[in-house]
Amino acid sequence: MEHSVRPISDGKEVVLTGRLTFADHNGFRSIIAMFQEPGSRRFVLDLSAVEFIDSAALGMVLLARDTAISKGISLILKGAKGQVRRIMEVAKFNKLFAMED
Amino acid sequence: MTKTPLLGGEGVAARDLEDLARNKGFSLASKAQPADILLVARPERQQLASILSAQPPYAVIEAPAPDQAFGGRLKRALENKGLLLSLSTATGFNADLTSLLCAACRQRMDFSDERLSDIETAVEEALSNAMVHGNLDIASVLRNDPADFDQYCDLVNERLTTPNYADRRIEILMTWSRDGIDVEVHDEGRGYDISNFQALPQVEAKCGRGFSLIRDLASNVTIAEHGRSLTMSFAP
């Protein structure tokens, strides 16, 4: 997994690319650390360039959600498609996250 | 009886290869001829991708190889002209083995894109369980709480460089037949009790989804060796 960050009006958008798997713990740690930075009210995880996700990475997205909630940040998942969309549907992520196309 | 040809890749000493061939009853292949078994030293992802695009080899074994790499799974790989990968956890962890194995699967058998996606998801879960919980011996409970996640990451990074954990083998055996494909994933961890995995995970659970995904996606699942060996069968 690779990620890049761009500012949006009230926070940050993190664009993830490649495959999100159990081996990406260090990348997720960097992303979750961004939630500690002051000033953001809204965080968008852009998943449109993610081709595959496993359940360990789903768990790490949920950890990001817990951290966001504790900081009063709203976390939005954007652009999930293919296998990523299917596995998030199975995991009922729509009940936990705001999801945008 | 013809001896199984063995070839050594870059970084494998000729003497080690000769000793191995003599001790195990293999013949030494020249680089110009296809070898059924390929011994490679610390292969990286690109090298593995290139090796797996051809057939044979039917087994790719990382050197230095422990004795158990030449056991029953190797025999089955050679007999069935399947594919055995026997790697250290340090090598397997960052090589994204799932995508390599699925590419090999796509080359060798005609699955629909949807079924291949099922196989990819299930194999990934099995490899994740085998390497993180099995060989690195890290409990998934450390991924439950953001407060513990730093500790989880530090532990993974530390164990991937600690020989007692990093050198443990991950073995994947894929065999094909008219009925589909069998994928066996074997680790050297402490094993687990399958009865712990019967309950469906909660929606907000950060871990515990892997085995239920495998069960949902595979046509059949068999667990052996006290949880150290998981075989998934996939009908087309």
Side-chain angles (χ1 to χ4, degrees):
Chain A
M1 172 191 87
E2 293 186 352
H3 71 272
S4 59
V5 188
R6 60 183 177 222
I8 51 175
S9 61
D10 48 356
K12 291 188 173 80
E13 181 167 84
V14 181
V15 181
L16 304 174
T17 52
R19 298 166 65 85
L20 270 58
T21 73
F22 66 94
D24 290 310
H25 55 288
N26 291 323
F28 270 100
R29 175 151 64 169
S30 312
I31 291 167
I32 291 171
M34 286 181 221
F35 290 47
Q36 311 291 343
E37 298 165 7
S40 288
R41 305 292 305 158
R42 190 165 169 265
F43 241 89
V44 178
L45 282 186
D46 184 340
L47 304 168
S48 54
V50 176
E51 57 201 55
F52 179 82
I53 191 166
D54 70 9
S55 72
L58 283 181
M60 293 188 238
V61 174
L62 287 166
L63 283 175
R65 173 180 175 267
D66 283 0
T67 311
I69 289 171
S70 72
K71 301 286 173 192
I73 296 170
S74 84
L75 179 62
I76 294 136
L77 305 183
K78 181 175 138 187
K81 60 187 182 191
Q83 184 266 1
V84 180
R85 190 183 186 94
R86 282 200 304 281
I87 202 165
M88 285 186 166
E89 283 170 0
V90 171
K92 299 186 170 60
F93 265 34
N94 59 325
K95 291 187 175 180
L96 303 174
F97 292 89
M99 300 191 75
E100 294 177 355
D101 285 337
Chain B
M1 188 178 147
T2 313
K3 288 182 172 179
T4 305
L6 167 76
L7 182 67
E10 201 175 315
V12 178
R15 175 153 189 178
D16 292 344
L17 205 62
E18 285 162 13
D19 286 349
L20 184 66
R22 189 171 51 251
N23 292 339
K24 303 291 180 191
F26 303 134
S27 66
L28 285 179
S30 75
K31 288 203 187 305
Q33 69 185 117
D36 290 5
I37 306 172
L38 190 60
L39 202 67
V40 284
R42 287 277 156 157
E44 294 189 347
R45 179 181 161 75
Q46 276 312 105
Q47 190 184 355
L48 286 171
S50 162
I51 291 168
L52 297 187
S53 65
Q55 203 183 16
Y58 305 116
V60 180
I61 299 174
E62 181 177 349
D67 239 19
Q68 68 262 30
F70 301 92
R73 275 177 287 279
L74 174 62
K75 189 165 176 253
R76 291 203 296 282
L78 296 172
E79 281 172 359
N80 294 297
K81 297 194 187 309
L83 176 62
L84 171 72
L85 275 186
S86 174
L87 304 170
S88 70
T89 304
T91 294
F93 193 92
N94 288 310
D96 189 10
L97 294 178
T98 302
S99 61
L100 296 177
L101 292 164
C102 284
C105 196
R106 188 179 286 115
Q107 271 188 337
R108 290 159 175 81
M109 203 157 176
D110 191 20
F111 282 107
S112 68
D113 286 347
E114 195 179 341
R115 197 58 178 142
L116 264 174
S117 176
D118 292 346
I119 295 171
E120 187 174 20
T121 301
V123 168
E124 172 75 11
E125 297 302 329
L127 289 175
S128 166
N129 281 339
M131 285 196 270
V132 179
H133 307 315
N135 286 352
L136 297 184
D137 198 13
I138 296 174
S140 53
V141 69
L142 283 177
R143 281 203 319 250
N144 273 343
D145 188 327
D148 296 329
F149 189 53
D150 274 342
Q151 191 192 342
Y152 169 83
C153 293
D154 290 342
L155 201 55
V156 172
N157 296 337
E158 180 199 316
R159 292 197 173 171
L160 281 172
T161 55
T162 305
N164 274 352
Y165 298 100
D167 290 349
R168 287 182 179 174
R169 287 266 146 174
I170 175 88
E171 293 202 335
I172 306 112
L173 170 64
M174 300 174 86
T175 50
W176 293 266
S177 72
R178 277 179 306 179
D179 300 329
I181 178 171
D182 285 352
V183 185
E184 179 184 351
V185 175
H186 181 269
D187 67 65
E188 296 186 311
R190 61 177 74 196
Y192 59 85
D193 179 357
I194 186 61
S195 59
N196 293 337
F197 290 84
Q198 297 302 323
L200 283 172
Q202 300 290 313
V203 174
E204 293 188 53
K206 279 85 180 174
C207 54
R209 286 193 171 84
F211 190 68
S212 40
L213 275 170
I214 291 170
R215 224 174 15 200
D216 287 349
L217 297 171
S219 313
N220 190 49
V221 179
T222 311
I223 292 162
E225 300 182 49
H226 306 287
R228 290 180 200 91
S229 168
L230 174 87
T231 302
M232 301 164 284
S233 304
F234 300 92

